[in-house]
Amino acid sequence: MEQKDESYYIERILDGETEYFSVFLDRYSRPLYTLVVQIVGCPEDAEELLQDIFLKAFRNLNRYKGECRFSTWIYRIAYNTAISATRKKKQEFLSYRMMERVHQEAEKQTKRKTRVGWAALLISALALVGLGVYVLTFYLEFNFADVMPQMNVRQDSSLFGFYVYIALLALVLLGLDYWLRKKYIWK
């Protein structure tokens, strides 16, 4: 089709005889489809974009000045539309991946908080047991020799047992504290 024929059809379309646009549809559908498929890589997306391209060309036909061939003008519309769709799809993909990472990180944080909560509960329970032994020994003057006669504990050794218990409790708590800090906080 020569440029003279193209300008004739364009004038007729602009005068209201829109059925002449089918000439451009027939002429450019296959080559534009090939171009768009090469850019977007998906035949289904290319078909949708091809409809958008022809719609844009039809709506903006009054802007075509005839300074270049009509094929050049419509190819430029096709190229720009396909590139824009590719960018948009890439941004959507990146947004999806980012949301997926945020979701994974939120799950990790939730698990971490749960673990730390259980560890804090365990530490609190051990501290309460230690406090209970302290209160029993010093304030209530509890004598372990009366409760456990089979162990042959001397009367004055209850204080020694208490300090051994406190020392072991302190070692366990320090070890647990070190392990929790190393595992959850220092990452």
Side-chain angles (χ1 to χ4, degrees):
M1 182 183 304
E2 293 183 23
Q3 190 169 356
K4 186 169 84 173
D5 294 335
E6 290 176 348
S7 58
Y8 168 77
Y9 287 119
I10 292 169
E11 285 178 24
R12 301 290 300 260
I13 294 167
L14 291 174
D15 286 339
E17 299 177 51
T18 56
E19 64 272 2
Y20 282 106
F21 195 74
S22 64
V23 173
F24 295 126
L25 288 171
D26 295 338
R27 169 92 173 129
Y28 294 109
S29 288
R30 173 72 76 205
L32 290 177
Y33 175 79
T34 304
L35 172 71
V36 173
V37 166
Q38 289 175 354
I39 294 172
V40 298
C42 178
E44 293 82 16
D45 291 345
E47 288 177 12
E48 288 182 29
L49 288 174
L50 193 61
Q51 293 176 7
D52 292 343
I53 290 163
F54 280 115
L55 189 61
K56 285 179 184 178
F58 182 76
R59 287 182 178 163
N60 295 306
L61 197 58
N62 60 344
R63 293 184 181 171
Y64 174 69
K65 302 298 180 200
E67 297 169 351
C68 61
R69 294 185 56 128
F70 181 77
S71 60
T72 305
W73 184 74
I74 200 164
Y75 268 86
R76 178 52 59 190
I77 292 173
Y79 179 80
N80 290 340
T81 303
I83 293 296
S84 294
T86 304
R87 286 184 187 142
K88 183 177 178 185
K89 196 172 198 178
K90 189 182 288 186
Q91 287 175 346
E92 288 173 357
F93 178 72
L94 291 175
S95 296
Y96 173 76
R97 295 220 31 201
M98 186 170 290
M99 290 303 295
E100 190 175 279
R101 286 183 188 163
V102 166
H103 180 69
Q104 288 172 351
E105 188 61 32
E107 284 180 0
K108 285 181 186 178
Q109 291 290 336
T110 302
K111 288 178 183 179
R112 193 174 292 148
K113 285 180 181 179
T114 303
R115 289 180 193 146
V116 168
W118 280 108
L121 182 64
L122 178 64
I123 291 170
S124 299
L126 289 173
L128 284 175
V129 167
L131 181 64
V133 168
Y134 179 79
V135 168
L136 281 174
T137 304
F138 288 106
Y139 289 109
L140 299 178
E141 297 177 3
F142 184 76
N143 191 348
F144 289 103
D146 295 339
V147 177
M148 300 180 285
Q150 69 271 18
M151 295 188 69
N152 294 328
V153 177
R154 293 189 331 220
Q155 290 288 356
D156 58 344
S157 67
S158 65
L159 189 59
F160 176 76
F162 172 73
Y163 282 121
V164 169
Y165 174 77
I166 293 297
L168 288 175
L169 182 63
L171 284 174
V172 168
L173 290 176
L174 285 172
L176 190 59
D177 180 60
Y178 174 77
W179 178 75
L180 286 173
R181 288 176 187 266
K182 185 175 180 185
K183 185 156 180 91
Y184 298 111
I185 297 173
W186 292 338
K187 281 190 171 186

